[in-house]
Amino acid sequence: MRITLRLIAALLVAASLVVAVSTYLQVRAETRKLTEDLARRGSMLADALGELAAAPLAARDAAELSRLVQTYGGREGLVGVAVFDPAGVALAASASLTPDLRAVQLLAPRALGPEGRVSRLVRDRYIYAVPVRDEGTLVGVLAVVRDAAAIRTTLSRMWRHNFLRLLSHAVLISLVSLLIIRWNILAPIDQMTGWMKQIRSGETSAAPPVARGLFEPLASEATQMARSLAAARAAAEEEARLRQQGQSLWTPERLKEHVKEKLEGRPLFVVANREPYVHARQGKKVQVIVPASGLVTGIEPILLACGGTWVAHGSGDADREMADAAGRLPVPPEEPRYTLKRVWLTPEEEEGYYYGFSNEGLWPLCHIAHTRPIFREEDWRHYQAANKKFADALLEEMGDVRDPVVLVQDYHFALLPALIKRRRPDARVALFWHIPWPNPEAFGICPWQRELLAGMLGADLVGFHIQFHCNNFLETVDQALECRIDGERFAVQRAGHLTLVKPFPISIAFSEPPVRSQAEPSQEALRKALGATARYLGVGVDRVDYTKGIVERFRGVERCLEKHPEYQGQLVFVELGAPSRTHIKRYQEHMNEVEAEAARINARFQSKDYKPIVFLNRHHSHAEIEPYYKAADFCMVTSLADGMNLVAKEFVSARADECGVLILSRFTGAARELHDAVVVNPYDTGQTADAIRYALEMSPDEQGRRMAGMRAQLKENNIYRWASRLITELAAIRL
Ligand code: ADQ
């Protein structure tokens, strides 16, 4: 309240000052105007009367002078007229002039002096005196006195009027200020204070009540602070709970401490083609997108826990304007924990290195999914150049950090480990290959297999998801290069350098109790939104990629409806398919195939308010995907080949209710860990159809048992354990 009063007082003083100064100036101008008017009139009248008085004055004709002053002295606006001889003695004066005669007498003789005519405002009288001459001889002085009371009245009216105006303005301003302060400042402060109290006591986790106007930036900062507080509280509670239960689960906090200890405080460097945050222009706004990528899902929690630098291709159309001149920016945007360093590629480089060699060559080469790899010399040149470019960017970021630790991600950077090691032998480099590694014969069709393998073996550690891929890699190296394979340690000795080859099954940040999100739609609400009246809901979540077996999955649904017609009208399968690598012809063809297959199957079974397959082909945020995981009776992952597959793990993680069934392709890395999934061969449509039916008819008990088993396995083997194992292994290597 005190601040309100002070503000109002300040406003009043400021308003008074402005009005006082402006009124003063106005009054001064008005006085000048009115006085000039009086002077003009006085001068005209005095001149005219002076002419009339000249002769009587010369003749000292008192009677005539007296008649003259009486005749003219009573005119409107005039107080009177007086005539003086050259010695200043009054010869005649209007009777009405008596009270003012003294003042007139004092002034009038001055008109005889060198000044000539004189005038003066004396109290409410304006005296104007002119010398009177008769044929050139000074014969006396004539003074006219006008009533000037009107000036004072006008001026005091002016002051009064302005004072009232000031008063009303001041009252109005104070009222408006009071209301503005009340509504826009005091009320939000009250609300914010109440909200902070609730946050402090843990009664709420909702966003602050004030989100607009003056307090918007403050509210946004407060939200971040509240989130950090909630996260810190949750982490502390989780740690305490685990300690209490004697469990040794991996948490972000534990990983952070572990990495700090293992790396002795040195920062972590990650190189991945995909960036964790893409800035994309949407109309006039810039939007932040977290791309649909298993790699991002897996790696981001590590940097969130440990900090460091993520070097990646800046692929968004607004990426440059959001980064500094060196391509750096702190992320996550709302609560920075590590640095993202963006590397810029020309469209030709991206075409050759990313779309060409990486995704038309290596991707189909490593996933045996019957899409023929394409190897072009030009793409290979771009791949080499891009690897060099990323190596340069990384070396620049590492600067003079001693013994840096580098995690290189995926098949886009097979050459990077050797490039880094050549220039920084003190760096510890791990390469994690997120996709499968085929048998030596399959890999051997790559014209540059030796160069790729040599590049990879620059790393101190090469990781795959499963032992099977490690074995394939070791066999490939053995057949393609001059080297020694250490079968006991799973290592390759080549040109004096040792590379360990180990499996590290990647995972997700499984959290229990699950992170509570805002009101999520129920299964009912989801089905309604999808326009489906069906009883059962199945879900698939993928980048639309030919390795994910989406078409095979749809055929499994079709076959199930054929074999078990009782499910027609009862089962809806929703595929959330994020368009991926749409630049590549094979991916465009695949998208068309998926759409056509969904349309074909729908045409067979659909009715007025039912279609069995809903294909939502757009990127969905994790918050949007989560309700589908939670509402589904089953989730289908039917990859034809897949390094791990995190969707399977995300589905299990979302099912804290221990309901729902995971149908999982045996060709995923995940199938080696999630033994309680219903495992299928996606090429076997009949088997997939049976698995769907089995899932739909599975008893709640069996669902609970299977889900609990998978959750226990995931809880233990989360992404933090994955990261800790990778870093422990890397830190233990003697360079
Ligand atoms: P991906 O081939 O990208 O990863 P996956 O592991 O399934 O495959 O991860 C996909 C990620 O993208 C998941 O986090 C998922 O939620 C998200 N996603 C999928 N569809 C989406 C959609 N429609 N909208 C938004 N997000 C979507 C590669 C390998 C995998 C390996 C990972 C991690 O191919 O085998 O598991 O890396 O190593």
PDB file of all heavy atoms in Angstrom, residues 147 157 175 187 248 252 436 498 513 527 545 567 605 645 709:
ATOM      1  N   ASP A 147     -10.652  51.607 -16.102  1.00  0.00           N
ATOM      2  CA  ASP A 147     -10.874  50.575 -15.078  1.00  0.00           C
ATOM      3  C   ASP A 147     -10.213  49.260 -15.565  1.00  0.00           C
ATOM      4  O   ASP A 147     -10.573  48.753 -16.624  1.00  0.00           O
ATOM      5  CB  ASP A 147     -12.380  50.370 -14.886  1.00  0.00           C
ATOM      6  CG  ASP A 147     -12.656  49.377 -13.781  1.00  0.00           C
ATOM      7  OD1 ASP A 147     -11.679  48.931 -13.119  1.00  0.00           O
ATOM      8  OD2 ASP A 147     -13.841  49.022 -13.571  1.00  0.00           O
ATOM      9  N   ARG A 157      -9.805  34.149 -12.556  1.00  0.00           N
ATOM     10  CA  ARG A 157     -10.659  33.062 -13.081  1.00  0.00           C
ATOM     11  C   ARG A 157      -9.773  31.989 -13.713  1.00  0.00           C
ATOM     12  O   ARG A 157      -9.992  30.797 -13.563  1.00  0.00           O
ATOM     13  CB  ARG A 157     -11.631  33.626 -14.110  1.00  0.00           C
ATOM     14  CG  ARG A 157     -12.709  32.619 -14.426  1.00  0.00           C
ATOM     15  CD  ARG A 157     -13.902  33.164 -15.201  1.00  0.00           C
ATOM     16  NE  ARG A 157     -13.863  34.566 -15.492  1.00  0.00           N
ATOM     17  CZ  ARG A 157     -13.670  35.081 -16.713  1.00  0.00           C
ATOM     18  NH1 ARG A 157     -13.467  34.314 -17.731  1.00  0.00           N
ATOM     19  NH2 ARG A 157     -13.650  36.379 -16.911  1.00  0.00           N
ATOM     20  N   LEU A 175      -7.128   7.628  -9.430  1.00  0.00           N
ATOM     21  CA  LEU A 175      -8.064   6.504  -9.469  1.00  0.00           C
ATOM     22  C   LEU A 175      -7.609   5.450 -10.469  1.00  0.00           C
ATOM     23  O   LEU A 175      -7.535   4.251 -10.166  1.00  0.00           O
ATOM     24  CB  LEU A 175      -9.442   7.022  -9.874  1.00  0.00           C
ATOM     25  CG  LEU A 175     -10.411   7.201  -8.716  1.00  0.00           C
ATOM     26  CD1 LEU A 175     -11.696   7.841  -9.211  1.00  0.00           C
ATOM     27  CD2 LEU A 175     -10.699   5.873  -8.047  1.00  0.00           C
ATOM     28  N   ALA A 187      -2.744  -7.630  -7.579  1.00  0.00           N
ATOM     29  CA  ALA A 187      -3.449  -8.919  -7.652  1.00  0.00           C
ATOM     30  C   ALA A 187      -2.507 -10.018  -8.147  1.00  0.00           C
ATOM     31  O   ALA A 187      -2.405 -11.074  -7.515  1.00  0.00           O
ATOM     32  CB  ALA A 187      -4.681  -8.790  -8.535  1.00  0.00           C
ATOM     33  N   SER A 248      20.085 -50.529  -5.986  1.00  0.00           N
ATOM     34  CA  SER A 248      21.182 -49.745  -6.552  1.00  0.00           C
ATOM     35  C   SER A 248      20.844 -49.373  -7.986  1.00  0.00           C
ATOM     36  O   SER A 248      21.588 -49.662  -8.896  1.00  0.00           O
ATOM     37  CB  SER A 248      22.465 -50.550  -6.492  1.00  0.00           C
ATOM     38  OG  SER A 248      22.266 -51.722  -7.244  1.00  0.00           O
ATOM     39  N   PRO A 252      19.660 -40.197 -12.761  1.00  0.00           N
ATOM     40  CA  PRO A 252      20.468 -39.115 -13.349  1.00  0.00           C
ATOM     41  C   PRO A 252      21.499 -38.590 -12.347  1.00  0.00           C
ATOM     42  O   PRO A 252      22.640 -38.301 -12.712  1.00  0.00           O
ATOM     43  CB  PRO A 252      19.449 -38.029 -13.686  1.00  0.00           C
ATOM     44  CG  PRO A 252      18.123 -38.674 -13.644  1.00  0.00           C
ATOM     45  CD  PRO A 252      18.228 -39.933 -12.859  1.00  0.00           C
ATOM     46  N   PRO A 436      21.980 -52.373 -36.650  1.00  0.00           N
ATOM     47  CA  PRO A 436      22.605 -53.706 -36.647  1.00  0.00           C
ATOM     48  C   PRO A 436      23.902 -53.727 -37.444  1.00  0.00           C
ATOM     49  O   PRO A 436      24.193 -52.806 -38.220  1.00  0.00           O
ATOM     50  CB  PRO A 436      21.553 -54.590 -37.341  1.00  0.00           C
ATOM     51  CG  PRO A 436      20.273 -53.816 -37.301  1.00  0.00           C
ATOM     52  CD  PRO A 436      20.650 -52.375 -37.300  1.00  0.00           C
ATOM     53  N   LEU A 498      44.540 -50.812 -29.918  1.00  0.00           N
ATOM     54  CA  LEU A 498      43.565 -51.817 -29.496  1.00  0.00           C
ATOM     55  C   LEU A 498      42.170 -51.199 -29.448  1.00  0.00           C
ATOM     56  O   LEU A 498      41.974 -50.126 -28.882  1.00  0.00           O
ATOM     57  CB  LEU A 498      43.933 -52.335 -28.102  1.00  0.00           C
ATOM     58  CG  LEU A 498      43.087 -53.520 -27.648  1.00  0.00           C
ATOM     59  CD1 LEU A 498      43.706 -54.837 -28.107  1.00  0.00           C
ATOM     60  CD2 LEU A 498      42.942 -53.509 -26.127  1.00  0.00           C
ATOM     61  N   PRO A 513       8.053 -43.860  -9.421  1.00  0.00           N
ATOM     62  CA  PRO A 513       6.724 -43.734 -10.011  1.00  0.00           C
ATOM     63  C   PRO A 513       6.768 -42.907 -11.286  1.00  0.00           C
ATOM     64  O   PRO A 513       7.643 -42.051 -11.431  1.00  0.00           O
ATOM     65  CB  PRO A 513       5.928 -43.003  -8.924  1.00  0.00           C
ATOM     66  CG  PRO A 513       6.954 -42.352  -8.062  1.00  0.00           C
ATOM     67  CD  PRO A 513       8.189 -43.172  -8.141  1.00  0.00           C
ATOM     68  N   ARG A 527     -10.347 -42.827 -28.481  1.00  0.00           N
ATOM     69  CA  ARG A 527     -11.107 -43.502 -29.543  1.00  0.00           C
ATOM     70  C   ARG A 527     -12.122 -42.544 -30.164  1.00  0.00           C
ATOM     71  O   ARG A 527     -12.323 -42.524 -31.357  1.00  0.00           O
ATOM     72  CB  ARG A 527     -11.831 -44.712 -28.968  1.00  0.00           C
ATOM     73  CG  ARG A 527     -10.926 -45.879 -28.854  1.00  0.00           C
ATOM     74  CD  ARG A 527     -11.696 -47.155 -29.156  1.00  0.00           C
ATOM     75  NE  ARG A 527     -10.980 -48.203 -28.481  1.00  0.00           N
ATOM     76  CZ  ARG A 527     -11.238 -48.569 -27.234  1.00  0.00           C
ATOM     77  NH1 ARG A 527     -12.227 -48.020 -26.577  1.00  0.00           N
ATOM     78  NH2 ARG A 527     -10.526 -49.495 -26.674  1.00  0.00           N
ATOM     79  N   ASP A 545       9.725 -45.901 -41.949  1.00  0.00           N
ATOM     80  CA  ASP A 545      10.966 -46.419 -42.511  1.00  0.00           C
ATOM     81  C   ASP A 545      10.686 -47.861 -42.934  1.00  0.00           C
ATOM     82  O   ASP A 545      10.012 -48.603 -42.212  1.00  0.00           O
ATOM     83  CB  ASP A 545      12.053 -46.377 -41.416  1.00  0.00           C
ATOM     84  CG  ASP A 545      13.440 -46.641 -41.964  1.00  0.00           C
ATOM     85  OD1 ASP A 545      13.669 -47.733 -42.540  1.00  0.00           O
ATOM     86  OD2 ASP A 545      14.295 -45.766 -41.817  1.00  0.00           O
ATOM     87  N   TYR A 567     -13.729 -59.704 -34.520  1.00  0.00           N
ATOM     88  CA  TYR A 567     -13.033 -58.462 -34.168  1.00  0.00           C
ATOM     89  C   TYR A 567     -13.283 -57.331 -35.170  1.00  0.00           C
ATOM     90  O   TYR A 567     -12.869 -56.206 -34.937  1.00  0.00           O
ATOM     91  CB  TYR A 567     -11.525 -58.704 -34.008  1.00  0.00           C
ATOM     92  CG  TYR A 567     -11.229 -59.483 -32.748  1.00  0.00           C
ATOM     93  CD1 TYR A 567     -10.683 -60.757 -32.803  1.00  0.00           C
ATOM     94  CD2 TYR A 567     -11.542 -58.936 -31.507  1.00  0.00           C
ATOM     95  CE1 TYR A 567     -10.444 -61.477 -31.653  1.00  0.00           C
ATOM     96  CE2 TYR A 567     -11.308 -59.660 -30.344  1.00  0.00           C
ATOM     97  CZ  TYR A 567     -10.759 -60.926 -30.416  1.00  0.00           C
ATOM     98  OH  TYR A 567     -10.536 -61.623 -29.267  1.00  0.00           O
ATOM     99  N   PHE A 605     -12.805 -53.536 -44.734  1.00  0.00           N
ATOM    100  CA  PHE A 605     -13.524 -53.774 -43.475  1.00  0.00           C
ATOM    101  C   PHE A 605     -14.318 -52.578 -42.960  1.00  0.00           C
ATOM    102  O   PHE A 605     -15.037 -52.715 -41.978  1.00  0.00           O
ATOM    103  CB  PHE A 605     -12.533 -54.188 -42.371  1.00  0.00           C
ATOM    104  CG  PHE A 605     -11.779 -55.453 -42.693  1.00  0.00           C
ATOM    105  CD1 PHE A 605     -10.470 -55.413 -43.130  1.00  0.00           C
ATOM    106  CD2 PHE A 605     -12.412 -56.687 -42.586  1.00  0.00           C
ATOM    107  CE1 PHE A 605      -9.790 -56.573 -43.425  1.00  0.00           C
ATOM    108  CE2 PHE A 605     -11.729 -57.857 -42.891  1.00  0.00           C
ATOM    109  CZ  PHE A 605     -10.403 -57.811 -43.312  1.00  0.00           C
ATOM    110  N   ASN A 645      15.337 -50.733 -30.810  1.00  0.00           N
ATOM    111  CA  ASN A 645      13.952 -50.263 -30.848  1.00  0.00           C
ATOM    112  C   ASN A 645      13.502 -49.778 -29.474  1.00  0.00           C
ATOM    113  O   ASN A 645      13.212 -50.549 -28.559  1.00  0.00           O
ATOM    114  CB  ASN A 645      12.950 -51.292 -31.379  1.00  0.00           C
ATOM    115  CG  ASN A 645      11.633 -50.585 -31.665  1.00  0.00           C
ATOM    116  OD1 ASN A 645      10.918 -50.182 -30.754  1.00  0.00           O
ATOM    117  ND2 ASN A 645      11.351 -50.357 -32.931  1.00  0.00           N
ATOM    118  N   GLY A 709       7.292 -58.155 -15.441  1.00  0.00           N
ATOM    119  CA  GLY A 709       8.617 -58.705 -15.756  1.00  0.00           C
ATOM    120  C   GLY A 709       9.417 -57.739 -16.613  1.00  0.00           C
ATOM    121  O   GLY A 709      10.601 -57.456 -16.346  1.00  0.00           O
TER     122      GLY A 709
END
